[in-house]
Amino acid sequence: MGSTTDKISGKTNEIAGKAKQAIGKATNDPALRGEGAAQETKGKAQVATGKVKDKLKGAVDRL
């Protein structure tokens, strides 16, 4: 995946994870809250991966 794709997928996962956590909290569903937290963490990792790819590409382009 490209860096932009990673960042978009990551933000999507972060938003979905936060929504699941909110629904889990509202419905008192600890499993859904946990699933949401895991998805949010996955999203943050994807965004970070995209940023790293951008930095590496920038470094290579400067060579």
Side-chain angles (χ1 to χ4, degrees):
M1 273 194 261
S3 64
T4 302
T5 304
D6 284 332
K7 290 188 275 186
I8 291 170
S9 295
K11 282 295 179 186
T12 302
N13 276 320
E14 281 186 60
I15 292 167
K18 287 179 184 182
K20 284 182 183 179
Q21 288 180 73
I23 293 168
K25 185 176 182 180
T27 61
N28 198 26
D29 185 347
L32 188 58
R33 287 175 74 181
E35 184 180 324
Q39 189 170 2
E40 183 180 359
T41 300
K42 176 184 176 184
K44 288 179 181 182
Q46 286 175 312
V47 170
T49 299
K51 288 179 180 180
V52 168
K53 285 181 181 179
D54 280 344
K55 288 186 189 256
L56 289 174
K57 184 179 181 323
V60 169
D61 288 346
R62 285 188 293 254
L63 294 177

